[in-house]
Amino acid sequence: MLLKRGIAVSPGVAVGPAVVLGVETFRIPSQYVRVDAVESELDRLDRALERISTEIGENEQIAADRLGAQYGAIFAAHGQLARDASFQDEVRAYIRKKNYSPEFAASRVIRKYTKALQEMGNPQMAERAADLFDLEKRVLRELLGQGRDELKNLTDPVVLLAKNLTPSETASLDRSKILAFVTEGGGRTSHTAILAGALELPAVVGVGRFLSDVAGGETVIVDGQRGELLIDPDEETLADYRRRAEARRTESIRLQTYRDVQPRTRDGERIFIMGNIEFPEEVGHCTDRGSDGVGLYRTEFLYLQGDAEPTEEEHYDAYCKVVTAMAGRPVVIRTMDLGADKVSDSMRRGIAGHLDSALGLRSIRLSLQNLPSFKTQLRAVLRASAFGDVRVMFPLVSTLLELRQAKMVLADVMEDLDEEGIEFRRDIPIGMMVEVPSAALRADDFAREVDFFSIGTNDLIQYTLAADRADPDLANLYSAGDPSVLRLIRWVVEAAARHDVPVTICGQMSSDPKFLPLLLGLGIRQISVTPHVIPELKDLAGRLEVAGCEGVAAHAEGLELARDVENYLRDEVERTRSGRPEPDDRAALVRPKSKRSDHWAGAAR
Ligand code: PEP
Ligand code: MG
């Protein structure tokens, strides 16, 4: 049994056979073969190895003729490996003694050697490991023949293990066939992680290298709460996980009683908890939990699902579905936020520019450069506004000019609809995401020109700390508890209050219960979260008091390190949940006096 730890991004526990997606998506259909099939399976292996050997020999010849002997030698090494007697014997022994399928046995043996080579820490040996991966691919391709599976062709539920999944791959996962997924890369707020939450699929990302430790078909456990992957677990561990899954089910049944509860703090302050959605189907996740609305509808996933851009009617149908289901509760439709890690193949083909850079042509910048497409979306949003409390929101606004241009396009579209006699809500509230430091710093200016703000902490953290949100190596730097982030949030909340502009937090920070006291203490009363955490947040809100939260915020703001802020907030929430009283010396926890005021006080004396 092997335990791997990563970043927990979507809770739940899943147990099942692994499908390992490497660069190529081979799926090993089964781990075992029937006892009476062992001999024929051994024959199948031999034939496959023979064909591989011949193929490699041909490649060697072609490479040597065209490129020179040294290139031919690369294939010669592969051939040697395929013919290696000890390798072949080990694979055969697995098939004979353990009834493993040839695919599973070969993959297991090759991965064992690969791992050993990688662990030697010698670059030359690591290159040999790449040769072995290549051999594994050849063996599987040969053994599986036409049976090489794409994710779409899964027949039984599996746990997906991959180096990385793109948001569009994640968006198209079949929830009935994928029990959970684990990736080597990815960060806490990468869109792949967010989608896992949307699909309510247990997921762990940012595990680092582990794919060479696991073979397709092997049993694995994924714990999306603790951020753990267990490969080949023993019986005791399996039983322990089943018990924990049961305890979680009981807790989620208890939380279901919060469905019709309006969230309020213990001292009666109403908190509005809305849901973030990516697909119209998710609106049920919100209504099932008694959400106060949809605080963020990430419409870009409409663009990522198909090959062609969505038509006005496709937009309109999706929005109407959500608006109707929310039955009068607010629905904030964010115009498409494509670019960075959310890029479709058709976009790549159609647009020149740095689409996949977080600092490039993305989001509202892209919409403003593609007016016909932007207008199509806005027409649909406006048409849907006739059926409920629709609000429109622009993402990634960084300058006033951008905001004004976007509003002008909206006004143009309104004029068109008027001329066509199409009904819509003329006074539709217009909001913007505050997720770029320039927008946060100029919150006073922006507040004069919008009806609401929504703070997108996922990007705000990324841009404030210059830390890619999807990079697991920066997981410690990328922190919602960083004092710079807290300062920007307070700044925006205070500016919004001065102009009487409502402000919501819709980044993942607000889905993490440990931040709730801090956010309430900073003056936030509206959050928009991954729907499955709504009941837990309602429960927690009911245990908090505003004055206590203000003390928590003041203390957190006085701390110097993100790590200390996060640890403090974690302890606070545990204390609240366990019912331990607040410390009497809360006043002593409040922000220390600044050096600057001391300095001037001294100068005045
Ligand atoms: C954010 O940046 O916090 C946000 C909510 O938007 P997204 O995660 O879609 O970039
Ligand atoms: Mg964002």
Side-chain angles (χ1 to χ4, degrees), residues 444-465:
D444 271 297
D445 300 325
F446 281 107
R448 290 190 193 94
E449 308 200 10
V450 290
D451 298 310
F452 64 94
F453 282 153
S454 193
I455 303 181
T457 48
N458 303 339
D459 277 315
L460 188 61
I461 300 167
Q462 152 166 279
Y463 296 126
T464 303
L465 290 157

Side-chain angles (χ1 to χ4, degrees), residues 370-429:
N370 292 277
L371 288 186
S373 147
F374 191 28
K375 285 185 169 180
T376 300
Q377 175 165 37
L378 290 175
R379 280 178 68 91
V381 175
L382 286 171
R383 284 173 58 202
S385 73
F387 302 102
D389 183 356
V390 173
R391 303 164 187 202
V392 64
M393 178 161 75
F394 301 120
L396 207 85
V397 174
S398 33
T399 67
L400 277 176
L401 185 63
E402 266 172 351
L403 175 67
R404 288 177 189 164
Q405 285 173 336
K407 285 174 69 176
M408 265 161 49
V409 180
L410 184 70
D412 272 359
V413 174
M414 285 185 176
E415 227 170 84
D416 293 346
L417 291 180
D418 261 342
E419 275 171 22
E420 293 167 45
I422 296 174
E423 219 185 308
F424 64 93
R425 188 176 159 194
R426 176 160 296 285
D427 59 350
I428 183 170

Side-chain angles (χ1 to χ4, degrees), residues 180-458:
F181 73 78
V182 181
T183 58
E184 291 191 338
R188 190 175 304 287
T189 65
S190 59
H191 286 97
T192 299
I194 289 170
L195 281 167
L199 297 165
E200 308 209 342
L201 202 59
V204 179
V205 303
V207 174
R209 218 155 56 188
F210 73 90
L211 292 178
S212 52
D213 297 333
V214 56
E218 220 164 2
T219 301
V220 294
I221 300 176
V222 179
D223 185 333
Q225 188 93 26
R226 295 180 169 188
E228 290 176 352
L229 166 70
L230 281 120
I231 301 165
D232 197 14
D234 53 38
E235 263 315 309
E236 203 182 315
T237 312
L238 275 169
D240 183 41
Y241 267 85
R242 285 194 195 107
R243 265 193 304 277
R244 270 199 261 154
E246 195 44 47
R248 271 191 207 132
R249 253 190 300 278
T250 313
E251 174 64 359
S252 81
I253 291 168
R254 181 184 81 78
L255 289 173
Q256 273 170 19
T257 56
Y258 282 90
R259 187 196 144 115
D260 298 320
V261 170
Q262 283 195 346
R264 278 184 199 282
T265 58
R266 221 168 58 191
D267 47 340
E269 183 82 8
R270 176 76 158 92
I271 311 300
F272 292 85
I273 307 182
M274 294 165 291
N276 291 348
I277 64 167
E278 288 70 29
F279 311 103
E281 296 72 30
E282 277 178 90
V283 71
H285 296 174
C286 298
T287 48
D288 286 352
R289 274 100 180 193
S291 139
D292 282 309
V294 170
L296 170 64
Y297 179 2
R298 291 183 166 100
T299 59
E300 52 277 11
F301 288 94
L302 277 170
Y303 297 74
L304 291 175
Q305 279 173 313
D307 203 35
E309 233 187 77
T311 61
E312 182 179 325
E313 287 316 300
E314 282 164 348
H315 279 290
Y316 177 69
D317 287 349
Y319 305 156
C320 283
K321 203 180 224 168
V322 176
V323 174
T324 320
M326 289 317 290
R329 277 169 284 179
V331 176
V332 178
I333 304 182
R334 180 176 77 178
T335 61
M336 68 88 164
D337 183 13
L338 285 168
D341 59 343
K342 292 178 284 193
V343 183
S344 66
D345 290 343
S346 57
M347 280 171 66
R348 261 185 237 282
R349 285 194 297 273
I351 302 162
H354 299 289
L355 287 179
D356 39 21
S357 157
L359 300 174
L361 187 58
R362 59 170 285 205
S363 203
I364 193 69
R365 304 168 186 179
L366 198 52
S367 293
L368 290 172
Q369 290 210 5
N370 292 277
L371 288 186
S373 147
F374 191 28
K375 285 185 169 180
T376 300
Q377 175 165 37
L378 290 175
R379 280 178 68 91
V381 175
L382 286 171
R383 284 173 58 202
S385 73
F387 302 102
D389 183 356
V390 173
R391 303 164 187 202
V392 64
M393 178 161 75
F394 301 120
L396 207 85
V397 174
S398 33
T399 67
L400 277 176
L401 185 63
E402 266 172 351
L403 175 67
R404 288 177 189 164
Q405 285 173 336
K407 285 174 69 176
M408 265 161 49
V409 180
L410 184 70
D412 272 359
V413 174
M414 285 185 176
E415 227 170 84
D416 293 346
L417 291 180
D418 261 342
E419 275 171 22
E420 293 167 45
I422 296 174
E423 219 185 308
F424 64 93
R425 188 176 159 194
R426 176 160 296 285
D427 59 350
I428 183 170
I430 303 171
M432 63 177 264
M433 298 279 298
V434 179
E435 53 183 346
V436 182
S438 64
L441 292 169
R442 296 192 66 191
D444 271 297
D445 300 325
F446 281 107
R448 290 190 193 94
E449 308 200 10
V450 290
D451 298 310
F452 64 94
F453 282 153
S454 193
I455 303 181
T457 48
N458 303 339

Side-chain angles (χ1 to χ4, degrees), residues 149-160:
D149 268 300
E150 297 298 329
L151 281 179
K152 299 181 197 87
N153 302 330
L154 293 171
T155 47
D156 297 310
V158 294
V159 172
L160 188 61

